[in-house]
Amino acid sequence: MTKKQKSILFFSLLGLAFAAYAPILPTYFLSDDFSLIGQVARHGFFITWAKFLRPVIVFSYLIDYKIWQLNPFGFHLTNILFHGLNGMLLFLLIKQYLTLLNFLRPSLYAFLSAALFLVLPCHTESVSWIAGRTDVLAMTFSLGATLCFVQMLTRRSKAIVISFFCFFAIALLSKEAALALPGVWVIFMAAYLAIRRESPTRHHVLMVIGIVVGLFVYFLLRKAVIGQFIGGYGTKFHINLLQVGIINHALKYILRSVLPALPPATERLFHSPLSYLTSGMGIFIIGYFLYRVRKKLASPEGLLFGACVLCFLISLVPVLTISINLFSTESERFLYLPSAFSAVASVLAVFLFFSSQRAAVAAI
């Protein structure tokens, strides 16, 4: 790919982000925006960090405030720019990973995945709400760390290792959702080794050990700064994954990862016998898809599709105790990081389903 082609591609992705979210630029502050940005305006960087350790987000508000004062246009512009940047980083990540796996047309897969990610309807809260940028910024540094991790699978460079831990640290200090990343990386490594039919080496083991040590240091820092290891809304809330509603929450997240908020008028249908018909149709569609692609599931594309589904589920773990609303954009910001993997999985699923590349591209 030439520099000109790369430039066109990146500007296309950035333009797609602006095309989707330009209408938010003239809108005002909303809800928690007043409190968060107000604190930064009054006290600067050293505001009270209660329950959450997210200094990177505070720093981003401070920079916006120094440039734009209390003009919400600039804050919204930052959100859109980082959303577009995330699309570009997702493209680079998927392209590099598929290249390592010797996939044909890695740029096509990567571009379609990034483009789909940028316009998924479940990003409204994260991008449109200034206070929702925690997920957008955490995603930026999470993708940066993952990009370095993929490079580390085959390269032993001190610069890459240092960059990896820097990105990982900044992601953790942006939002706690980045705690799911080690699970994602293990899946990336396992898929890489499975598709290439290789065994893990000492280098791969040391990578995992380094990540565990990094997490240990992070939790010590949390304890020192906010006085507790978990924080947030409390231990019982965040790590109680055995509560009854977890499965229901997971199903809602899966549904909302691909669909926009449903019309409020349809809520009553979910409490009627028609809901069983809808569920049955969903199960039938999934069953038909698996039947149609059953012979391809053992192929590299099939294995990578399964890996992306697992990454989606793993990245949901930190938020599974929190429900998402099917009929509004409330809480959909928790899908921002997981949706990167659902976007890639969706693209792979379409290519598995259709035998024609043109038909697959048209369907996407």
Side-chain angles (χ1 to χ4, degrees), residues 122-138:
C122 61
H123 296 161
T124 304
E125 189 179 48
S126 300
V127 184
S128 300
W129 186 28
I130 296 170
R133 82 163 51 160
T134 51
D135 297 88
V136 179
L137 281 185

Side-chain angles (χ1 to χ4, degrees), residues 36-306:
L36 294 170
I37 297 170
Q39 286 188 63
V40 171
R42 288 192 299 270
H43 307 296
F45 182 70
F46 297 100
I47 65 174
T48 303
W49 293 343
K51 298 182 180 181
F52 299 102
L53 182 61
R54 301 173 180 175
V56 175
I57 306 303
V58 176
F59 188 60
S60 76
Y61 290 143
L62 182 61
I63 293 176
D64 272 345
Y65 176 70
K66 293 296 183 182
I67 298 173
W68 302 96
Q69 292 299 297
L70 293 177
N71 184 351
F73 176 91
F75 291 84
H76 286 304
L77 180 63
T78 299
N79 279 24
I80 297 175
L81 285 172
F82 272 97
H83 181 56
L85 177 60
N86 287 339
M88 298 177 193
L89 288 172
L90 184 61
F91 168 82
L92 291 174
L93 171 63
I94 300 306
K95 181 178 183 297
Q96 184 172 82
Y97 189 59
L98 295 185
T99 300
L100 287 180
L101 296 175
N102 298 318
F103 269 59
L104 298 175
R105 309 180 301 275
S107 295
L108 178 62
Y109 282 106
F111 178 77
L112 292 173
S113 298
L116 181 59
F117 167 79
L118 287 173
V119 297
L120 282 177
C122 61
H123 296 161
T124 304
E125 189 179 48
S126 300
V127 184
S128 300
W129 186 28
I130 296 170
R133 82 163 51 160
T134 51
D135 297 88
V136 179
L137 281 185
M139 172 81 158
T140 301
F141 299 107
S142 296
L143 287 174
T146 307
L147 192 57
C148 291
F149 181 84
V150 168
Q151 293 176 327
M152 287 163 55
L153 289 173
T154 56
R155 295 173 60 186
R156 303 183 184 185
S157 165
K158 290 183 179 179
I160 294 176
V161 172
I162 292 172
S163 299
F164 166 74
F165 280 106
C166 286
F167 280 126
F168 186 28
I170 298 173
L172 287 170
L173 295 175
S174 298
K175 190 169 184 180
E176 296 76 9
L179 287 169
L181 290 176
V184 168
W185 295 331
V186 169
I187 294 171
F188 264 61
M189 182 188 294
Y192 168 81
L193 294 173
I195 292 173
R196 292 178 62 94
R197 298 181 180 180
E198 297 178 3
S199 300
T201 64
R202 180 173 175 270
H203 171 65
H204 297 139
V205 174
L206 288 175
M207 288 169 61
V208 175
I209 293 174
I211 293 169
V212 172
V213 172
L215 286 174
F216 180 74
V217 173
Y218 167 71
F219 278 108
L220 288 180
L221 179 63
R222 288 185 67 84
K223 179 67 174 177
V225 176
I226 64 175
Q228 47 191 322
F229 291 114
I230 302 300
Y233 303 116
T235 304
K236 292 182 178 180
F237 185 83
H238 286 295
I239 61 177
N240 184 20
L241 294 178
L242 297 179
Q243 59 178 279
V244 177
I246 288 294
I247 303 263
N248 186 38
H249 293 178
L251 293 174
K252 286 182 178 180
Y253 276 114
I254 292 170
L255 185 63
R256 285 289 278 110
S257 69
V258 292
L259 294 177
L262 301 174
T266 64
E267 185 172 2
R268 65 179 184 275
L269 298 179
F270 281 75
H271 304 287
S272 70
L274 285 175
S275 63
Y276 297 103
L277 177 61
T278 305
S279 300
M281 290 177 60
I283 294 172
F284 173 78
I285 292 172
I286 294 172
Y288 177 71
F289 167 76
L290 293 175
Y291 173 78
R292 176 76 179 265
V293 304
R294 65 192 185 283
K295 295 181 180 179
K296 299 180 182 178
L297 290 177
S299 67
E301 291 83 359
L303 290 173
L304 189 56
F305 165 74

